[in-house]
Amino acid sequence: MRRAIQIPSAAHSALEYQRWAVRSQLRGEGRRFMRSMKRPLAVAGAAPARRPPNPYVLADPVYRTQHYAPQGRYVSIAGAGHFGHEEAPEVVNEQLSRFLTQVYG
């Protein structure tokens, strides 16, 4: 990861999601995206004791906003931090498969 982020423009590109999340709220494509997100899945790592908790996706705000997406699911991955898809890929893939099967059959 350290070597990858040192590639020119990689840090800039890594932040694009955060920029789009803010910028899109005022744009048509952002409103269309939000309408399509009727059944979201939030997967976050529950960092182990040897590391600080995952500061990027906190459980409390997700739980408090469930009334916006009552059909959504929040999954906490034990033993993983911000990079749950790399730290526990089997668990993340299982949760994604389960969610997609529920949504799309």
Side-chain angles (χ1 to χ4, degrees):
M1 295 279 190
R2 184 175 294 153
R3 288 179 55 210
I5 203 72
Q6 292 174 350
I7 297 171
S9 299
H12 173 81
S13 298
L15 293 173
E16 182 55 29
Y17 173 78
Q18 286 81 3
R19 286 192 293 274
W20 186 86
V22 172
R23 186 175 63 229
S24 69
Q25 295 177 34
L26 305 174
R27 296 180 173 182
E29 70 266 19
R31 290 190 294 275
R32 285 190 300 276
F33 173 77
M34 291 308 293
R35 279 195 303 271
S36 71
M37 293 295 297
K38 294 181 181 166
R39 296 187 71 172
L41 171 65
V43 178
R50 69 183 190 286
R51 294 192 304 200
N54 180 355
Y56 193 74
V57 180
L58 301 175
D60 185 57
V62 172
Y63 288 131
R64 284 188 285 127
T65 58
Q66 281 185 331
H67 68 278
Y68 294 114
Q71 300 299 318
R73 276 186 53 216
Y74 177 76
V75 179
S76 181
I77 306 297
H82 178 64
F83 297 102
H85 59 288
E86 292 182 11
E87 298 173 78
E90 304 84 19
V91 178
V92 171
N93 286 338
E94 176 189 337
Q95 292 295 332
L96 284 171
S97 295
R98 185 179 303 164
F99 177 75
L100 292 172
T101 299
Q102 289 174 348
V103 173
Y104 298 106

